Amino acid sequence: ISNAMDVSVPSNIERISWLYGNDVNEISKKISSWSFTDLLTRNMIKNIFDKYDYLIDPHTAVGMLGLGEYRLISNSFKKCIVLSTAHASKFSDDVEQIINQEIELPDQIKNLSNKEKNSIRLNNKFKSFKEFLLAI
């Protein structure tokens, strides 16, 4: 329910490889990854909804599962951020079944179709991204 690899060329892999000079050993030192079943993903969505009355999408659920895995392996409980890129309504067919109720679209999403698209170009340096986030 959170398949993100259904593209012929996953561009993030190319970007990461370029950033690390195509050195797989360097990438492995800095980046970890895991995969999770649909059942675990569904359970995370349901648990977050039941415990916090907060609705997350399948990709966010996988991010939360990844954070849990990282914490287990590293024995680290530092403050962390899981970034969400979608509202659960984008996956309403699955999420509504998981929480057993209809998802109501927030006004912000209802009104998006009437908005002009704006974007901010950033370079590929983490420092610039961090400075941008801290400034907003």
Side-chain angles (χ1 to χ4, degrees), residues 87-104:
H87 187 271
S89 62
K90 182 178 178 183
F91 308 89
S92 59
D93 291 343
D94 291 310
V95 175
E96 287 177 352
Q97 287 180 2
I98 294 166
I99 64 169
N100 295 315
Q101 68 184 58
E102 191 174 321
I103 299 171
E104 185 175 335

Side-chain angles (χ1 to χ4, degrees), residues 33-49:
S33 66
W34 301 274
S35 61
F36 301 99
T37 65
D38 283 351
L39 179 60
L40 287 171
T41 304
R42 287 183 178 96
N43 287 342
M44 178 59 76
I45 292 168
K46 181 83 170 119
N47 291 340
I48 294 295
F49 185 72

